[in-house]
Amino acid sequence: MTVLAPPQRPTGGIPVGPQRWVTIRPIESSDRDGLFDFYHSISPPARRARFLGMGACLSREAADRFAATDHHQGDGLVAVLREAGPQDGRIVGHLCLEPDAAGGEELAVAVADGFRGLGIGTALMRAAVASARRRQVPRLSATLFASNVPMRRLLLDAGLPVTVDEIDAGVESIELETLPAPAPR
């Protein structure tokens, strides 16, 4: 009889249940299939909120593009489930940072059904801000349905100065300044 030892909680792991944790890491090209499966597993309302109602789901080509980010001109992060069981290694969250026309980056995030409200989005956001600062990206922007209160809270609670917060026709645009202000002379 083989007995699996309970997994050890990784440093910085987010507890999501008994002997279950989620870790945040940069996306890798090998995550393409897991990312595709992740977006196909979340509920239609969650996909609608993530993609602002555009398209039914993530295509294979989009999964390829998200997973192939170079971590210099844009970035991507995944939240990965860790457990002793068949779900170990499953992607349960994704955040992407895509360059915008104004020299900043647009941010989008999704967390799997059943894993929301556990701190995964906050950990992804914290890692995204660190990435933007490391890469000298001056601002992050996000476009969301004005009714998407959890996403709004995630952005506004990131501890960054808000430079734009506008609502038009039920769609909200938020911009956050990521670089610290220069020290006074």
Side-chain angles (χ1 to χ4, degrees):
M1 176 169 108
T2 303
V3 177
L4 294 175
Q8 296 295 318
R9 179 177 174 186
T11 303
I14 303 159
V16 295
Q19 302 300 316
R20 299 176 86 199
W21 295 271
V22 169
T23 57
I24 307 299
R25 65 167 172 76
I27 198 166
E28 301 169 351
S29 59
S30 61
D31 289 322
R32 178 189 74 108
D33 291 338
L35 191 62
F36 181 81
D37 293 344
F38 163 71
Y39 279 109
H40 283 264
S41 73
I42 62 176
S43 66
R47 280 196 304 268
R48 180 180 179 276
R50 165 58 179 86
F51 295 107
L52 293 177
M54 300 179 335
C57 210
L58 188 74
S59 68
R60 289 261 181 217
E61 293 78 20
D64 284 340
R65 190 172 58 77
F66 285 142
T69 187
D70 68 3
H71 303 288
H72 298 288
Q73 301 296 318
D75 206 354
L77 302 157
V78 289
V80 180
L81 181 63
R82 295 292 171 211
E83 68 171 6
Q87 298 295 314
D88 186 57
R90 180 179 135 210
I91 293 174
V92 296
H94 174 237
L95 184 144
C96 65
L97 297 168
E98 295 286 327
D100 64 22
E105 291 182 349
E106 185 173 3
L107 174 145
V109 64
V111 175
D113 302 314
F115 287 87
R116 294 187 198 105
L118 301 174
I120 295 167
T122 300
L124 284 165
M125 185 68 183
R126 193 172 23 253
V129 170
S131 170
R133 286 181 168 161
R134 182 176 58 254
R135 295 176 301 110
Q136 297 291 299
V137 175
R139 89 193 125 297
L140 297 175
S141 63
T143 304
L144 55 142
F145 287 122
S147 60
N148 189 344
V149 175
M151 181 65 176
R152 184 174 203 285
R153 188 176 315 122
L154 180 70
L155 294 164
L156 299 180
D157 289 351
L160 300 173
V162 177
T163 57
V164 173
D165 188 353
E166 302 172 342
I167 298 176
D168 184 26
V171 175
E172 186 168 11
S173 298
I174 297 176
E175 286 187 12
L176 306 171
E177 185 178 314
T178 58
L179 299 179
R185 293 182 180 207

